[in-house]
Amino acid sequence: MPQVVRSRIAVLHGAHPAAPLPRSFRSLADREAVEVLHRAARVLVASLPVLTDRLVEALYAQEPGYRAAIDSDRAEVWQEVHHSLRHNVGSLIQPREFRDAAHRTSRWIGEIRAEQGVPLDAVLHAFRMGGAMVWQDLVDETARRDPDDVRLLVHVAADVWNFVDEHCGIVADAYRQAERRLSWRRENQQRLMVAALLDGTARIADLCEAAAMLGLPEQGRYAVLAVASAPRGPQQQGPARPPLTLPAALSPGEDPSTAPGAAPLWHTGPDAAFAILRLTGEAGDPGELHAIADALDAPAGTRAGIGSPVDGLAALGDARRLAETALRACPASGGTVVLDEHLPDALVVSSPALGSALADRVLGPLDRLDPSDRDVILETLTAWLDADGSAQRAGARLYCHRNTVLNRLRRFEQLTGRCLTRPRDAVEVSLALAARRLLGT
């Protein structure tokens, strides 16, 4: 910065220059320039209402970001502009007395305009428009009083614009801080609302507000996805972040296809994380949930359960409980379970005590065998049921002859007293195997 500018700033702001200048006409010009500035600024202070009117009109005509605010409450905008001009023009005359008040005013304007949603660029443009108008009025007033003094204003021009830039920085900083607070508040309100919906504690009267806040239709069709990571080491504490990626079409919004990549609505509980899935297919179409399960990008060992569809935001609590049931029906090794496709398993995990009792009653006699012998029979029985009762296909899965499969099944019947061709016994055996697999009985 040239030395003449440093000395000029020192005069305006009451600071002492780091290195005093030699006595010369330059310091005299600085003093004269400040006196000219003060004379013109005092005239502006006396006519602030007129200046405020002009600036508000200019904002309305030239800054679209302020047009809605002026239409909504012109008096409020007028008071804001007048307050800012009074402190800022006063700072040109008495910088020490007005500096703190001017800074507070600029911070307040940045905060209030952030809360009202006026774009930051519009707020900064408004400040620069005000600076330009003040500077032009200073020049015009000086020219009216004594045209020869206009040349002296050149000495303070940089200081006036530095002052404008300083307050633009204050406004921008206050605006961004307010934006962060508002963003945190919105995110926190969203988290609380999602948690209340999934817990089933949201009030009916709040559902309309929840729909607007989350961008979801109040009467839409939904399902809930529950996710649990593979067991973590002793050094890893707290709930895990959802370890999978949802397709963009599962994101919330009135039309998911128009907002690819938007973040899904997650709620993390102590044992699992839950995501709200908006369904757009026809009611009763099982293919939509199956397509969602196939589209999940989950690491190995991750367990995921998708509950049955429900109607409306009010039923999301039920949807979460159904998703938890589906998650309990997942094998410990990981995978994704769609509840509607695993209802027998869901029955077992919904009543663990009864499931364990059934497993003990049906499969208990096998526990008297050698563990390896018992496991062979259970593996064969499971393969036979999965093959819809075909010994041929079960043998192909187990790499043994069909007669070997039949011999093992007959042995099971002899040990347990069950008949696999009797439908009731076959159902009990299937449920008992599910209980042993899912409950570890």
Side-chain angles (χ1 to χ4, degrees):
M1 180 185 297
Q3 194 66 47
V4 63
V5 176
R6 283 201 295 268
S7 66
R8 186 171 63 249
I9 292 176
V11 172
L12 281 176
H13 294 281
H16 295 286
L21 292 175
R23 303 292 295 178
S24 68
F25 72 92
R26 186 167 49 205
S27 60
L28 177 60
D30 290 340
R31 286 196 298 271
E32 291 177 349
V34 170
E35 290 173 0
V36 169
L37 175 67
H38 286 180
R39 282 196 301 270
R42 290 189 188 98
V43 175
L44 265 61
V45 170
S47 60
L48 273 183
V50 175
L51 177 59
T52 303
D53 287 339
R54 290 168 48 216
L55 183 51
V56 171
E57 289 297 332
L59 287 174
Y60 191 85
Q62 301 177 35
E63 181 43 67
Y66 265 77
R67 201 164 293 154
I70 296 173
D71 283 334
S72 175
D73 193 342
R74 189 181 191 90
E76 187 269 339
V77 176
W78 193 95
Q79 289 294 338
E80 172 192 306
V81 173
H82 184 268
H83 200 60
S84 178
L85 288 173
R86 181 163 59 87
H87 286 94
N88 291 339
V89 176
S91 295
L92 298 178
I93 305 170
Q94 296 175 296
R96 290 182 179 178
E97 290 78 358
F98 281 89
R99 177 184 175 85
D100 290 342
H103 284 188
R104 285 194 301 269
T105 299
S106 295
R107 281 193 293 270
W108 175 78
I109 291 174
E111 292 172 357
I112 198 68
R113 289 307 173 199
E115 292 175 0
Q116 294 173 345
V118 178
L120 176 57
D121 286 348
V123 182
L124 295 178
H125 184 211
F127 263 75
R128 293 192 176 98
M129 286 176 64
M133 189 170 289
V134 167
W135 174 251
Q136 187 60 52
D137 281 8
L138 291 172
V139 173
D140 291 346
E141 173 58 27
T142 301
R144 185 189 66 80
R145 178 183 294 270
D146 187 346
D148 291 339
D149 286 345
V150 172
R151 60 183 176 78
L152 291 171
L153 288 180
V154 174
H155 293 267
V156 294
D159 297 311
V160 172
W161 286 106
N162 286 341
F163 179 87
V164 173
D165 288 342
E166 176 189 1
H167 280 260
C168 284
I170 293 171
V171 167
D173 183 62
Y175 187 101
R176 295 187 182 103
Q177 289 183 19
E179 257 192 336
R180 287 192 290 270
R181 289 195 301 271
L182 292 169
S183 177
W184 178 88
R185 190 183 307 160
R186 283 192 297 266
E187 290 172 2
N188 192 52
Q189 290 174 339
Q190 185 183 68
R191 283 193 296 269
L192 293 174
M193 185 61 73
V194 170
L197 290 171
L198 291 174
D199 289 342
T201 58
R203 299 180 303 174
I204 297 298
D206 293 335
L207 293 180
C208 183
E209 178 186 352
M213 179 187 300
L214 304 178
L216 297 172
E218 185 176 346
Q219 301 302 327
R221 292 180 61 247
Y222 298 98
V224 170
L225 166 69
V227 182
S229 299
R232 299 191 292 169
Q235 302 300 321
Q236 295 173 293
Q237 303 295 328
R241 183 182 180 87
L244 78 174
T245 301
L246 287 177
L250 304 184
S251 302
E254 287 300 325
D255 182 0
S257 64
T258 64
L265 296 175
W266 283 101
H267 171 67
T268 303
D271 301 315
F274 302 92
I276 297 175
L277 308 179
R278 183 188 170 194
L279 305 180
T280 57
E282 294 294 330
D285 177 15
E288 185 173 12
L289 294 180
H290 192 272
I292 291 172
D294 291 341
L296 295 178
D297 181 14
T302 300
R303 297 165 53 240
I306 302 176
S308 302
V310 299
D311 292 321
L313 293 178
L316 282 178
D318 295 333
R320 178 189 62 82
R321 287 184 283 275
L322 293 171
E324 288 178 322
T325 300
L327 184 61
R328 290 196 296 271
C330 284
S333 58
T336 300
V337 165
V338 177
L339 183 63
D340 287 355
E341 298 177 357
H342 296 79
L343 292 178
D345 290 351
L347 288 174
V348 170
V349 298
S350 295
S351 182
L354 291 178
S356 297
L358 179 63
D360 289 342
R361 180 180 175 184
V362 175
L363 304 177
L366 299 182
D367 292 334
R368 294 191 291 269
L369 300 175
D370 181 84
S372 60
D373 194 14
R374 177 201 63 204
D375 291 345
V376 167
I377 294 178
L378 292 175
E379 182 184 24
T380 302
L381 188 59
T382 300
W384 180 76
L385 289 171
D386 289 344
D388 298 325
S390 169
Q392 185 72 34
R393 292 201 300 272
R397 293 184 183 186
L398 298 171
Y399 302 102
C400 64
H401 196 272
R402 64 180 298 275
N403 290 338
T404 303
V405 172
L406 294 174
N407 288 335
R408 293 172 182 171
L409 295 179
R410 279 194 293 270
R411 189 178 180 204
F412 168 79
E413 292 177 326
Q414 293 168 357
L415 291 170
T416 62
R418 304 283 167 170
C419 178
L420 293 175
T421 58
R422 186 183 302 133
R424 179 187 180 92
D425 285 359
V427 169
E428 290 186 351
V429 169
S430 177
L431 292 175
L433 287 171
R436 179 156 288 197
R437 171 172 51 86
L438 296 171
L439 304 175
T441 58

